[in-house]
Amino acid sequence: MSHYPVAGTWTSCPACGRHVHQSQWGRWQQCPYCHYWRRLPAVDRITQLVDPGSFTALTTTVQSQNRLDFPNYDEKLRQAKLKTAQTEAVITGQATFAKWPAIVIVMDSYFMMGTLNTSVTRLIIAAMQQARKQKLPVIIVTASGGARMQEGLYALVGMNLILAEVARLAAAKLPLITVLTDPTMGGVSASFAFKGDVVIAEAGATIGFAGARVIQQTMPTTLPADFQSAASLLAHGQLDAVVLRPELRAYLSQVLATYRLSGGPTHG
């Protein structure tokens, strides 16, 4: 597994600040002191969720372009590719969960905060189109700061383009399962993150539109301590479930099994 944030033998927990030895984070990347779940790279997320050896990446030649000549954007893309060994902020492919097949779309917050841009949009749409072609369910794991500011309106258009493809999935009676992880913010939460037939969140995830600090700077209000937490969203009826990281694979397998056994389209 990769664990991109590793820079040395010891790291500080982002939540409690305690120094944690790399061996202490464990398989599930959880702080041994405050039980904070460290953000996972997309490749690690896939390894944890799908059946071993079952993931096959969808082939793509999509590359991001600096159409607006935004200062330093090309260098940021280069650094992100170097850091993650990925070409963009999402990985798409086909895999099985307890032998139940699905198309998998996993966003990566370590690639420019998992931001939505033209390339990410095209990759997500292509994966959904492949799902319709093969009559497979779609699982999207979100981890994003929202739309990518370096691409401006081009990035924002992606929200509606993906929603249109979600509607086509629904028309084909293919389920969409969204798994909201830390963070799921901005344009991603405002568009397809909550459009799943089943919407679940990983325990400890922060989910919302504008960040709490921005809200407090623009509105004279005091926000509750659990504001934008997965637990709070579940309590207010915005999620179907909050699931602990070690239990996510089994939960998704059960959802897929329920769909298939209830008469969903056969794998074709």
Side-chain angles (χ1 to χ4, degrees):
M1 300 178 81
S2 57
H3 310 318
Y4 303 148
V6 173
T9 304
W10 295 85
T11 56
S12 295
C13 172
C16 69
R18 296 281 293 273
H19 291 294
V20 183
H21 192 275
Q22 294 308 326
S23 63
Q24 291 180 285
W25 285 103
R27 174 186 177 187
W28 303 108
Q29 293 294 287
Q30 186 177 35
C31 175
Y33 303 109
C34 70
H35 307 299
Y36 165 81
W37 301 96
R38 188 154 67 167
R39 294 175 181 176
L40 289 180
V43 288
D44 290 3
R45 180 71 67 180
I46 291 168
T47 299
Q48 288 190 3
L49 288 181
V50 309
D51 294 342
S54 71
F55 182 80
T56 302
L58 297 178
T59 57
T60 179
T61 58
V62 172
Q63 293 288 335
S64 294
Q65 298 178 7
N66 189 2
R67 298 182 182 182
L68 300 178
D69 293 325
F70 198 95
N72 300 319
Y73 183 31
D74 292 313
E75 176 60 19
K76 286 182 180 293
L77 283 171
R78 190 186 72 82
Q79 290 293 335
K81 292 175 182 179
L82 185 65
K83 177 181 181 180
T84 65
Q86 306 298 331
T87 59
E88 251 306 339
V90 69
I91 298 177
T92 62
Q94 182 176 334
T96 60
F97 299 74
K99 298 185 178 180
W100 299 106
I103 294 296
V104 185
I105 300 167
V106 182
M107 305 184 79
D108 195 330
S109 64
Y110 289 104
F111 194 112
M112 296 192 69
M113 275 304 298
T115 42
L116 183 68
N117 74 330
T118 52
S119 295
V120 171
T121 295
R122 290 170 64 188
L123 290 167
I124 292 175
I125 288 174
M128 290 182 176
Q129 290 172 340
Q130 185 68 16
R132 286 195 289 118
K133 179 180 178 181
Q134 295 186 241
K135 297 185 175 65
L136 289 176
V138 177
I139 296 174
I140 301 181
V141 181
T142 61
S144 176
R148 191 171 301 174
M149 67 175 187
Q150 290 89 348
E151 295 193 24
L153 187 60
Y154 290 112
L156 293 174
V157 167
M159 296 165 57
N160 281 337
L161 293 175
I162 293 172
L163 286 175
E165 198 59 42
V166 168
R168 296 184 184 100
L169 279 177
K173 301 188 184 305
L174 295 170
L176 172 63
I177 305 160
T178 54
V179 183
L180 283 49
T181 72
D182 188 53
T184 296
M185 302 294 292
V188 170
S189 70
S191 56
F192 58 88
F194 287 95
K195 288 296 184 180
D197 298 287
V198 178
V199 182
I200 67 175
E202 183 176 65
T206 298
I207 304 161
F209 183 65
R213 183 169 55 183
V214 173
I215 294 173
Q216 288 183 313
Q217 289 174 345
T218 56
M219 297 177 63
T221 185
T222 300
L223 300 174
D226 64 349
F227 183 67
Q228 295 183 330
S229 69
S232 177
L233 267 65
L234 178 64
H236 287 83
Q238 294 180 276
L239 300 172
D240 293 305
V242 173
V243 185
L244 293 171
R245 183 172 291 174
E247 299 171 4
L248 274 172
R249 178 190 288 183
Y251 190 96
L252 292 171
S253 300
Q254 185 60 49
V255 172
L256 292 175
T258 301
Y259 163 68
R260 290 296 184 186
L261 296 174
S262 66
T266 58
H267 179 208

